[in-house]
């Protein structure tokens, strides 16, 4: 009979699909594990952050506002190029093609994030006033915004190469450095709310520089403009959904600030209480 499927073909196909789904589930768990552990560590540190002698209630509320605003700004400032990098590296798997895609993404995101931070520094007073936070915390948030965007691109290389073990190792290194620095800056050095943010972003900075050294074979400054246009054509239509999702994380904090009566300090204090509960 012509056109007949070979015996056992369907079983082999189902077996292959099952193996791929198992691989997908395992790698998805590993890639998400760093985020889960980070959340748990945040809850573990709450008793430290919420002690008045270390961090005021209002200070903690302002930290959470800046962190939420930074997460939202990170999505806007990278124009979805991280997602596009994954897609184009999958479509073109040759080593040279992947290196070209990664370097184009890295260079473009570096330029976009640097421009965004410079504009933010120039407009630091309006930003701090809008978010109802101190100028110091707003500046730290901008520095953190820059490295957060870059960090996502570099760690993404391990996801493209399907190396979840290396990905989670660097994630845990980041978390460990963040915990140690945060505790040192908040308790012995008594830096308050600024200590929380400096500890958080310092861990990311140190891990980012380790990653740059480890992946110097793939990371570099080189833009292929035709490729960049194709990547933006793919990524820009996806941005609104990502922005809307993260905007919800900021919107509730804005509502607490705007709807709570009292002075700015009192509103920030209420926001601190809400943010602590929200973490749990």
């Amino acid at each position: 009979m012509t056109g007949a499927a070979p015996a056992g073909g369907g079983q082999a196909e189902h077996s292959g699909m099952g193996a791929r789904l198992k691989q997908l589930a395992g790698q998805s768990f590993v890639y998400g594990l760093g985020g889960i552990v980070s959340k748990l560590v945040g809850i573990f540190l709450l008793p430290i952050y919420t002690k008045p002698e270390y961090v005021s209630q209002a200070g903690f509320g302002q930290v959470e506002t800046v962190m939420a605003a930074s997460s939202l700004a990170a999505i806007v400032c990278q124009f979805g190029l991280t997602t596009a990098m994954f897609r184009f590296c999958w479509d073109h798997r040759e080593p040279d093609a992947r290196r070209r895609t990664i370097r184009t993404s890295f260079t473009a995101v570096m330029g976009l994030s640097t421009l965004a931070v410079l504009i933010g520094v120039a407009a630091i007073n309006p930003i701090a006033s809008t978010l109802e936070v101190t100028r110091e915390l707003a500046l730290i948030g901008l520095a953190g915004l820059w490295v957060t965007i870059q960090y996502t691109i570099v760690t993404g290389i391990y996801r493209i190469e399907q190396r979840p073990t290396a990905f989670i190792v660097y994630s845990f290194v980041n978390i460990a450095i963040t915990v140690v620095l945060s505790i040192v800056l908040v308790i012995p050095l008594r830096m308050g709310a600024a200590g929380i943010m400096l500890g958080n972003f310092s861990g990311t900075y140190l891990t980012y520089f380790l990653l740059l050294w480890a992946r110097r074979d793939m990371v570099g400054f080189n833009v292929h403009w035709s490729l960049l246009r194709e990547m933006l054509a793919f990524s820009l239509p996806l941005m609104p959904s990502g922005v809307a999702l993260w905007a919800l994380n900021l919107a509730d904090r804005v509502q607490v600030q705007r709807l709570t009566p009292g002075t700015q300090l009192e509103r920030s204090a209420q926001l601190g209480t809400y943010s602590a509960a929200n973490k749990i």
Side-chain angles (χ1 to χ4, degrees):
M1 295 176 60
T2 59
Q11 182 178 357
E13 182 180 349
H14 286 297
S15 176
M17 180 65 72
R20 288 194 293 272
L21 288 174
K22 183 177 179 181
Q23 181 186 31
L24 174 64
Q27 291 191 6
S28 297
F29 172 76
V30 172
Y31 292 137
L33 187 60
I36 294 172
V37 173
S38 178
K39 299 282 187 184
L40 292 174
V41 168
I43 295 174
F44 170 75
L45 293 175
L46 271 178
I48 297 174
Y49 293 162
T50 52
K51 284 189 176 182
E53 62 265 32
Y54 299 137
V55 181
S56 68
Q57 196 174 357
F60 184 71
Q62 291 183 20
V63 167
E64 288 296 301
T65 299
V66 174
M67 297 295 283
S70 296
S71 298
L72 177 59
I75 297 175
V76 176
C77 293
Q78 65 175 313
F79 285 11
L81 284 171
T82 302
T83 304
M85 180 180 73
F86 293 150
R87 156 71 191 278
F88 280 76
C89 281
W90 178 258
D91 286 346
H92 308 284
R93 306 182 197 183
E94 302 81 8
D96 289 342
R98 281 190 167 180
R99 187 177 295 108
R100 182 168 59 250
T101 301
I102 290 169
R103 290 184 175 180
T104 296
S105 302
F106 177 81
T107 306
V109 168
M110 174 76 76
L112 289 169
S113 59
T114 302
L115 178 63
V117 169
L118 292 175
I119 293 173
V121 171
I124 192 64
N125 290 327
I127 291 174
S129 177
T130 301
L131 296 177
E132 293 192 355
V133 300
T134 64
R135 192 171 180 271
E136 178 187 31
L137 293 182
L139 286 170
I140 297 173
L142 286 173
L145 170 66
W146 187 89
V147 74
T148 299
I149 298 173
Q150 304 300 324
Y151 181 82
T152 305
I153 287 286
V154 183
T155 54
I157 297 173
Y158 290 106
R159 299 183 65 177
I160 291 168
E161 296 174 343
Q162 296 186 17
R163 295 173 58 189
T165 302
F167 180 90
I168 199 63
V169 165
Y170 280 106
S171 297
F172 283 165
V173 167
N174 187 1
I175 293 170
I177 295 173
T178 296
V179 170
V180 172
L181 288 177
S182 296
I183 292 175
V184 170
L185 293 172
V186 171
I187 299 179
L189 299 182
R190 303 276 178 157
M191 295 185 66
I196 297 176
M197 293 190 62
L198 286 172
N200 192 308
F201 292 132
S202 294
T204 306
Y205 263 103
L206 291 173
T207 310
Y208 171 67
F209 289 128
L210 286 174
L211 283 163
L212 286 182
W213 174 255
R215 299 320 311 258
R216 60 191 183 277
D217 58 323
M218 299 295 288
V219 174
F221 295 103
N222 192 5
V223 175
H224 292 263
W225 294 104
S226 59
L227 174 61
L228 180 59
R229 286 193 293 271
E230 292 179 24
M231 295 175 72
L232 289 172
F234 170 78
S235 65
L236 288 177
L238 302 177
M239 280 187 60
S241 60
V243 170
L245 180 63
W246 277 101
L248 292 174
N249 196 41
L250 178 62
D252 53 358
R253 289 162 171 77
V254 174
Q255 291 178 58
V256 171
Q257 281 183 321
R258 297 295 185 264
L259 299 178
T260 301
T263 65
Q264 179 178 330
L265 193 63
E266 291 171 338
R267 293 196 299 272
S268 295
Q270 291 298 318
L271 181 59
T273 302
Y274 171 81
S275 299
N278 186 58
K279 275 186 176 294
I280 299 172

